[in-house]
Amino acid sequence: MDPRERILVALDMTDVDSAKALAMTLSGHVGGIKLGKEFFTANGPAGVKAVTGGGQPLFLDLKFHDIPNTVAGAVRSAMALGPMILNVHASGGVAMMKAAAAAVAEAPNTSEGPRPLLIAVTVLTSLGDEDMPQIGVQGSAAEQVIRLAKLAEGAGLDGVVCSAHEIIAIRAACGPDFKLVVPGIRPTWAAKGDQKRVMTPAEAVKLGADYLVIGRPIAAAADPVGAAKRIGEELQGL
Ligand code: C5P
């Protein structure tokens, strides 16, 4: 894989024109864009299509979590947007994840591209060990991450979203083909912002990250293309 293809830029904004302009500017310099709940709730499928019209691969980060039938329906609706990556919450359970995987598998590989990768969110990184008892989980957040990653793998999902600090343990538990999509990435030259436990792009890829979700270091840079190129160069040869 060309190292640039590992970079997915989080467009955390609600303005369609700004998101579209940034997506077009970055086209060819990154592997794709990530649009999430903030953008989708404000602009819907039409907004997503406006941004991806230029053909940018899309990580549609809507983290579905509902009864299996509803999640399968949501996945089918999301597939109409042609995403490269879709996600659900692993804590929705095996039946829910299997229903989502079946909905993805229904889609043929077409000239538009291969079927999307279906990945799971394990434990939100905003939760720590101290939050586990409150939500009825015994053990540490790290143990719960591994438990849910294995559950996702067993349900036929392609991978998980995880922190760079979880890469080694999940790789060991779920094998070399399980896709790891990793946010919380900061080049040494970028501001950390509100991210606390960050890792550089090169460190995360060396540990085994498949895709890097990078927002502000590129999207909020004075020169987004320059920032994307610099990260791409840092990933060369890894
Ligand atoms: O700007 P920054 O690089 O911090 O953006 C990271 C992106 O990844 C944001 O869209 C954020 O919501 C998302 N994310 C994260 N940590 C997670 C899961 C998703 O930062 N554990």
Side-chain angles (χ1 to χ4, degrees), residues 25-26 29 218 223-230:
T25 303
L26 290 167
H29 300 288
I218 294 174
D223 172 13
V225 170
K229 278 186 176 168
R230 196 166 168 187

Side-chain angles (χ1 to χ4, degrees), residues 139-172:
S140 68
E143 286 165 350
Q144 180 70 351
V145 166
I146 298 302
R147 182 182 294 132
L148 291 176
K150 283 186 183 166
L151 203 66
E153 190 201 12
L157 268 65
D158 299 300
V160 289
V161 183
C162 69
S163 135
H165 301 274
E166 297 162 352
I167 292 173
I168 291 178
I170 298 176
R171 248 308 149 248

